[in-house]
């Protein structure tokens, strides 16, 4: 690990003011410290923002505002989250071990880097880590990598479970930075790789997430489900956050679907949603919607299994939500 300077910010404004090239913000450290040990992250300056007064969960005009420094365990256990956004609580609880959830923060969860083995191995090329060096995953081990939205430069997937639920709930991410304050919708924080896979998000240098705000819960039933290789402490092969609102006549009045484990971003299944609105809430309609969404999948030879897995997960989850 390279030597680095360490300082503790006293406020969000102080953190932004102290930011300079080579700086990285430190929250819970559950991802950043690992990447520093591996030599993937090599900050010259660590600016600790973990003790800023950004750790409250509060209701503001019918919306729920979650501070960036709220620990994942506290978020999942909060009475308002459990009562109003059970899908989010469930997503957080499936995300990691209890010890990691006790340390990890909301902002850090959203900003965690991919777990692609080539990204984490500094002896191998990786466009995300060293732009222009290549993506060996395309010809190598890509069995758990992207089938949607990837490019010839990167086939990595985003690992966050929380982000998938927030995309379905249409959360807003509050950011402060050198250019001032702004709000970024979910989905919208994360970006597809294109030709610049080194950029995971639309954040600019020095930007600091201060809060995530949730609108009132959408009508209907919601559910988060995750398919993984083992029962705990494993990243998603495919995951889904779904909200389904069925009208009295049995047709779909509203639907939100976000998918994890399939793309460089939490993938909002907009084609499937459009297909479902006004359709009967039946297995046949759910299957047609899933197939419409997955028509755009471009699986690689060793991850083609994800397409039928995602199709079945969408159908089964919607069938479970349907009255």
């Amino acid at each position: 690990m390279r030597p680095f300077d360490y300082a503790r910010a006293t406020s969000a404004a102080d953190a932004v003011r102290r930011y300079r090239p080579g700086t990285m913000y430190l929250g819970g450290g559950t991802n950043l410290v690992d990447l520093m040990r591996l030599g993937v992250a090599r900050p010259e300056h660590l600016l600790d923002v973990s003790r800023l007064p950004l750790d409250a969960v509060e209701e503001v005009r019918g919306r729920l505002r979650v501070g960036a420094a709220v620990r994942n365990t506290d978020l999942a256990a909060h009475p308002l989250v459990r009562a109003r956004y059970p899908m989010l609580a469930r997503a957080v609880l499936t995300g990691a071990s209890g010890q990691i959830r006790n340390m990890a923060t909301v902002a850090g969860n959203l900003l965690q880097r991919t777990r692609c083995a080539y990204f984490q191995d500094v002896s191998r090329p990786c466009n995300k880590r060293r732009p222009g060096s290549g993506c060996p995953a395309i010809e190598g081990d890509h069995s758990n990598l992207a089938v949607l939205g990837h490019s010839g430069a990167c086939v990595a997937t985003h690992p966050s479970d929380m982000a998938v639920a927030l995309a379905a709930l249409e959360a807003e991410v509050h950011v402060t930075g050198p250019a001032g304050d702004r709000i970024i919708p979910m989905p919208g924080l994360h970006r597809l790789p294109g030709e610049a896979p080194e950029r995971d998000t639309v954040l600019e240098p020095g930007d600091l997430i201060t809060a995530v705000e949730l609108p009132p819960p959408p009508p209907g039933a919601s559910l988060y489900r995750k398919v993984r290789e083992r029962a705990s402490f494993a990243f998603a092969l495919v995951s889904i956050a779904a909200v389904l609102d069925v009208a009295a006549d049995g047709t779909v009045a509203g639907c939100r679907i976000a998918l994890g484990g399939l793309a460089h971003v939490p993938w909002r299944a907009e084609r499937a949603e459009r297909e479902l609105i006004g359709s009967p809430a039946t297995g046949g309609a759910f299957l047609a919607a899933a197939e419409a969404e997955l028509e755009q999948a471009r699986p690689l030879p060793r991850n083609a299994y994800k397409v039928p897995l995602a199709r079945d997960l969408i159908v089964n989850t919607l069938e479970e939500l349907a009255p």
Side-chain angles (χ1 to χ4, degrees):
M1 186 182 293
R2 290 188 351 175
F4 55 87
D5 297 329
Y6 170 88
R8 185 179 296 165
T10 58
S11 67
D14 179 57
V16 172
R17 186 167 53 248
R18 291 193 188 200
Y19 182 90
R20 60 191 188 275
T23 298
M24 297 188 76
Y25 295 130
L26 174 67
T30 56
N31 186 212
L32 176 57
V33 172
D34 282 346
L35 293 178
M36 291 173 66
R37 288 171 175 159
L38 292 170
V40 175
R42 306 178 72 186
E44 296 176 13
H45 318 285
L46 271 188
L47 193 50
D48 190 339
V49 296
S50 65
R51 304 188 189 187
L52 298 184
L54 301 174
D55 57 353
V57 179
E58 53 190 348
E59 189 170 11
V60 181
R61 296 184 295 276
R63 300 167 67 89
L64 195 67
R65 188 179 177 94
V66 180
V70 171
R71 305 291 175 171
N72 287 4
T73 293
D74 295 333
L75 177 67
H78 196 280
L80 286 176
V81 175
R82 294 177 63 186
R84 299 175 61 184
Y85 308 95
M87 177 174 66
L88 175 59
R90 180 61 183 166
V92 173
L93 290 173
T94 65
S97 68
Q99 293 93 330
I100 290 177
R101 292 196 302 269
N102 289 343
M103 288 295 297
T105 64
V106 167
N109 189 295
L110 290 176
L111 298 180
Q112 62 184 297
R113 308 299 305 275
T114 183
R115 265 50 178 198
C116 175
Y118 298 98
F119 172 73
Q120 295 186 324
D121 183 354
V122 295
S123 70
R124 308 293 293 273
C126 172
N127 285 325
K128 180 175 282 295
R129 180 169 29 80
R130 194 168 70 247
S133 63
C135 179
I138 293 175
E139 299 296 332
D141 182 10
H142 50 248
S143 60
N144 193 23
L145 299 182
V147 299
L148 289 166
H150 55 84
S151 71
C154 182
V155 293
T157 53
H158 185 69
S160 172
D161 293 282
M162 180 192 297
V164 178
L166 292 177
L169 292 169
E170 298 182 351
E172 295 177 339
V173 180
H174 291 242
V175 175
T176 188
D181 299 339
R182 71 185 193 279
I183 296 174
I184 302 171
M186 290 280 290
L189 173 66
H190 304 91
R191 60 180 300 280
L192 292 174
E195 296 304 313
E198 69 276 12
R199 290 196 64 195
D200 291 344
T201 71
V202 298
L203 297 181
E204 298 295 338
D207 280 349
L208 176 70
I209 294 176
T210 57
V212 173
E213 191 164 285
L214 292 160
S222 66
L223 186 63
Y224 185 82
R225 297 180 71 183
K226 178 177 181 178
V227 179
R228 46 189 167 179
E229 292 177 331
R230 57 183 185 270
S232 64
F233 200 32
F235 298 101
L237 300 174
V238 184
S239 64
I240 182 172
V243 181
L244 184 68
D245 182 26
V246 179
D249 64 357
T251 61
V252 176
C255 182
R256 297 183 190 176
I257 302 169
L259 301 169
L262 298 180
H264 200 257
V265 301
W267 185 271
R268 185 70 180 263
E270 295 177 350
R271 290 189 184 183
E273 293 174 0
R274 289 194 298 268
E275 183 84 14
L276 280 172
I277 298 299
S279 298
T282 62
F286 299 152
L287 177 59
E291 290 180 339
E293 186 64 40
L294 295 168
E295 282 178 357
Q296 57 197 314
R298 293 183 292 114
L300 297 169
R302 284 173 288 282
N303 68 5
Y305 74 92
K306 285 196 173 190
V307 178
L309 182 59
R311 179 198 63 211
D312 293 347
L313 184 62
I314 293 170
V315 173
N316 292 341
T317 302
L318 294 176
E319 285 182 332
E320 186 171 342
L321 289 173

